[in-house]
Amino acid sequence: MRLKPGVGYCLRRFQPLVQQLARAHWIGHIKGNQRNLPILGEADDLEAFLFETSRQSLVQLGASLRKLEGAKCFYCRGGLTDADVDHFIPFSQYPRDLAHNFVLAHPSCNRSKSDTLAARPHLERWVKRLALRSDDIQNIGLDVGMVADAAVSRQVVAWGYTGAVQSGSRAWYSPNQYEVVDQSYSMLFAS
């Protein structure tokens, strides 16, 4: 498939809309097939069933990450009692669950970071973690039934930060502290 100039940008720019339209159409198709009615009944949570990672999978993933990496917040490095399983590249920017994209975080760090990219020290730690623990995280992902592909995760992270460099976005460092994503971020993906 060859895209005409500007189409890639539009697909990315309007990705949430395109995705929601595709999901809604697929759900309508499944519900509209009379042969599915005995199986589905009047299920109104079909979208969650088809498209969301189960909470149980995230609980299992979190427990396995805690065993592998210890009880420390990925971002502030403080000790964890309660932990959230956070998308390193925010779900709002890449709405797919990839095992290598998940990190453990304090609920407060996770809420503060929200849907922003993480600052350079966090990115450096993520790249190092990918190099050192890729196979272990791959196995954790497979154990909980989640897609686990280090190369794809690395490409997604590189894509996210490349876009941030081009747009001059800010990255979250800690609560109320941000830094501009500059060209130095790109060096982490040069190899």
Side-chain angles (χ1 to χ4, degrees):
M1 180 185 314
R2 186 175 301 205
L3 298 178
K4 293 186 177 187
V7 171
Y9 167 79
C10 287
L11 286 174
R12 173 60 192 118
R13 173 73 173 90
F14 299 108
Q15 178 273 333
L17 176 63
V18 172
Q19 179 179 333
Q20 189 57 38
L21 288 171
R23 285 182 176 186
H25 183 72
W26 182 245
I27 290 167
H29 173 74
I30 290 173
K31 285 184 173 182
N33 185 333
Q34 294 300 315
R35 290 180 288 183
N36 290 336
L37 192 57
I39 299 168
L40 297 176
E42 294 300 317
D44 57 352
D45 61 345
L46 188 58
E47 183 171 11
F49 173 75
L50 290 173
F51 299 113
E52 291 181 7
T53 299
S54 76
R55 290 287 159 215
Q56 183 62 30
S57 293
L58 290 179
V59 168
Q60 292 172 340
L61 181 86
S64 295
L65 286 176
R66 187 183 289 249
K67 286 179 189 173
L68 178 67
E69 299 177 323
K72 288 189 174 184
C73 175
F74 184 81
Y75 301 111
C76 74
R77 309 307 294 155
L80 287 172
T81 50
D82 292 332
D84 284 354
V85 179
D86 180 46
H87 290 86
F88 184 73
I89 294 295
F91 190 79
S92 63
Q93 293 183 29
Y94 188 78
R96 302 289 179 275
D97 289 332
L98 300 171
H100 292 89
N101 189 39
F102 285 111
V103 297
L104 292 180
H106 284 122
S108 59
C109 288
N110 186 20
R111 306 292 178 275
S112 177
K113 177 181 170 275
S114 186
D115 63 350
T116 59
L117 293 174
R120 185 180 173 98
H122 308 307
L123 175 59
E124 290 171 345
R125 191 175 313 113
W126 186 89
V127 170
K128 184 177 179 181
R129 172 185 185 246
L130 189 66
L132 296 175
R133 304 246 189 228
S134 178
D135 291 343
D136 295 325
I137 296 169
Q138 175 101 12
N139 291 333
I140 289 170
L142 294 174
D143 287 346
V144 300
M146 188 176 293
V147 174
D149 189 322
V152 168
S153 295
R154 183 178 174 84
Q155 289 172 343
V156 167
V157 170
W159 163 83
Y161 281 93
T162 298
V165 168
Q166 293 169 351
S167 65
S169 296
R170 296 180 336 145
W172 179 87
Y173 183 78
S174 63
N176 301 317
Q177 289 188 316
Y178 296 84
E179 63 184 29
V180 174
V181 180
D182 60 23
Q183 198 61 36
S184 69
Y185 280 72
S186 300
M187 304 309 262
L188 294 169
F189 301 103
S191 57

